[in-house]
Amino acid sequence: MTEQELIATVIRPEIRALNAYKVADATGYIKLDAMENPYTWPEEIKAQWLKVIQTAELNRYPDPEAKTLCRILKEYNQIPAECEILLGNGSDEIIQLLLMALPADATVMAPEPSFVMYKQVAQCLGLNYQGVPLLADSFELDLAAMLTNIKNQQPEIIFLAYPNNPTGNLFDSDAIEQLIQHTKGLVIIDEAYAPFTDFSFINQLTKYKNLLVMRTVSKLGLAGLRLGFIAGNPGIIKQLNKARLPYNINILTQCSVEFALTHPDMFARQTEILCHERARMFLQLSTLKNIHPCPSAANFILFRTAKNKATDIFNTLKEQGVLIKNLSPQKGLLSDCLRVTIGKPEENNAFIKALKSAI
Ligand SMILES: *Cc1c(COP(=O)(O)O)cnc(C)c1O
């Protein structure tokens, strides 16, 4: 048996057809490609954290329900008392969990472009994935098309990133409510960028049984710990919990996030700087010839370049030591588009300088 025959025997065709989710090697670059918070912690806070993890009993399994962490996250995120939350190893794992729990022939709907994991995981599981294009100029939801799709396809689940990645905008909240009201399935509002906006659907959770809100600590500044959560109707959360692996949140993540969230002011200061830098970057990008930035409520900015120039600009930036994300190969609405994460002021300056020389 050849290796190819072996693979064809034991791997499902939909997985063989997938392309792996590739992450660029960022060693040595000014890293503005992955929406990370560029700031670490002051030395005295690091020292306190080391004392906390020193007491972690690595020989024991962690609390399978991470009860303390759940309580702290509910408080920090002001989740209504009636709601339950479920934790995941990053919100990526929660996307996987949600889709694993669906019936085998289920339909998954999301606007496009949006976060690629919705489609990636849906296809990996052999589900019916329906992408509905956003409106071309505004990147707003095409409400009519989505409602038609809901009627025809009856999706079991709809993902809406709010703000959306990679476009950075907040979809019209009335349009979102219409989708929640018209679908018989679940609507997942993915609030990965909650630290950078005041808008949220958390206060709507008690209004709609089929609404769930997902968040993560990754963009806040703890991407390395891998922790996300989903909040909503206790009946749904209880069912999802059955599909969750018991020890999915390791002990170091549990105690480190518990510790980190005792320093809300530190994160608030960091995100405030980043929001300030976002406004400054937007203005600077707006002044550049043939560069069209999209207004963003997240910690990144999507911008369009002159026609067929995006990949050249991306490569020139890279040669100058600045790594951003080239979305142009994804084609469609993202043709000629690049995405830059907001970094420290000096990193942002280096990016703007390199960009000026690249265009
Ligand atoms: C980054 C991102 C995530 C992934 O978050 P993790 O918790 O790091 O897995 C989820 N959704 C959106 C929209 C994102 O941009």
Side-chain angles (χ1 to χ4, degrees):
M1 191 188 256
T2 67
E3 186 180 322
Q4 281 314 312
E5 285 165 344
L6 175 63
I7 289 170
T9 310
V10 299
I11 306 291
R12 282 203 309 276
E14 52 269 31
I15 295 181
R16 280 184 268 139
L18 284 178
N19 291 316
Y21 183 78
K22 277 207 235 55
V23 178
D25 180 7
T27 318
Y29 289 101
I30 294 177
K31 193 172 185 314
L32 302 177
D33 66 328
M35 282 79 93
E36 292 144 325
N37 176 341
Y39 295 105
T40 55
W41 302 351
E43 286 308 317
E44 71 272 16
I45 294 187
K46 268 192 200 159
Q48 288 170 24
W49 167 64
L50 284 174
K51 280 205 189 115
V52 170
I53 60 171
Q54 216 163 31
T55 65
E57 294 184 34
L58 301 186
N59 56 319
R60 304 288 179 199
Y61 281 105
D63 174 357
E65 277 138 35
K67 290 180 284 297
T68 306
L69 181 53
C70 281
R71 181 175 51 72
I72 290 171
L73 283 170
K74 276 186 81 171
E75 203 176 289
Y76 185 82
N77 291 278
Q78 299 176 320
I79 308 293
E82 307 91 296
C83 297
E84 287 293 337
I85 70 170
L86 171 143
L87 308 189
N89 193 319
S91 35
D92 285 349
E93 191 194 32
I94 298 174
I95 296 167
Q96 188 183 50
L97 193 66
L98 284 162
L99 297 184
M100 273 178 3
L102 297 178
D105 60 349
T107 294
V108 179
M109 195 173 121
E112 282 192 340
S114 190
F115 187 47
V116 292
M117 275 301 145
Y118 311 144
K119 182 178 182 181
Q120 177 92 6
V121 178
Q123 291 185 334
C124 192
L125 293 170
L127 301 172
N128 173 28
Y129 173 81
Q130 292 288 325
V132 181
L134 293 172
L135 297 176
D137 296 319
S138 58
F139 291 131
E140 189 50 76
L141 292 173
D142 185 341
L143 183 59
M146 291 201 78
L147 288 173
T148 305
N149 233 280
I150 287 174
K151 208 163 138 209
N152 297 340
Q153 303 276 337
Q154 304 276 328
E156 275 72 9
I157 198 164
I158 302 172
F159 285 100
L160 299 169
Y162 185 80
N164 189 38
N165 172 11
T167 55
N169 57 319
L170 289 156
F171 299 135
D172 180 69
S173 59
D174 290 337
I176 293 180
E177 284 209 53
Q178 289 214 41
L179 298 179
I180 299 170
Q181 289 162 1
H182 280 87
T183 182
K184 294 199 179 78
L186 294 175
V187 176
I188 314 300
I189 306 292
D190 180 349
E191 297 188 351
Y193 299 97
F196 309 100
T197 175
D198 293 330
F199 292 91
S200 170
F201 273 79
I202 281 192
N203 287 329
Q204 309 276 30
L205 279 173
T206 48
K207 195 164 153 194
Y208 299 110
K209 274 202 257 329
N210 62 335
L211 170 66
L212 296 162
V213 172
M214 187 165 71
R215 287 189 171 184
T216 173
V217 299
S218 294
K219 311 311 171 7
L220 180 67
L222 302 169
L225 290 175
R226 309 304 300 131
L227 182 78
F229 71 87
I230 189 160
N233 158 7
I236 296 283
I237 298 293
K238 189 175 162 192
Q239 297 301 322
L240 292 173
N241 238 321
K242 297 184 202 168
R244 181 180 64 83
L245 295 173
Y247 305 110
N248 65 329
I249 312 301
N250 75 71
I251 196 165
L252 293 177
T253 295
Q254 291 193 29
C255 63
S256 299
V257 178
E258 286 167 18
F259 169 79
L261 295 185
T262 61
H263 293 279
D265 299 350
M266 175 180 71
F267 289 109
R269 272 195 302 277
Q270 294 178 348
T271 51
E272 198 185 327
I273 298 172
L274 293 170
C275 288
H276 185 267
E277 280 296 292
R278 173 179 72 196
R280 187 176 73 91
M281 286 265 268
F282 183 83
L283 275 180
Q284 295 229 9
L285 286 167
S286 309
T287 63
L288 298 180
K289 192 158 178 275
N290 291 326
I291 297 289
H292 301 284
C294 306
S296 169
N299 64 339
F300 60 84
I301 295 176
L302 181 81
F303 58 97
R304 198 179 299 279
T305 68
K307 204 160 176 50
N308 298 324
K309 286 283 183 260
T311 297
D312 287 348
I313 293 173
F314 170 80
N315 286 329
T316 309
L317 286 171
K318 213 171 154 187
E319 281 160 23
Q320 297 188 49
V322 181
L323 184 66
I324 63 170
K325 177 84 178 175
N326 184 7
L327 295 164
S328 196
Q330 291 185 29
K331 305 244 172 61
L333 295 185
L334 292 176
S335 295
D336 310 314
C337 285
L338 300 172
R339 185 190 67 201
V340 61
T341 301
I342 310 298
K344 295 179 186 175
E346 59 270 28
E347 295 176 321
N348 301 333
N349 290 342
F351 157 74
I352 292 285
K353 188 171 168 222
L355 181 62
K356 280 180 180 163
S357 75
I359 56 179

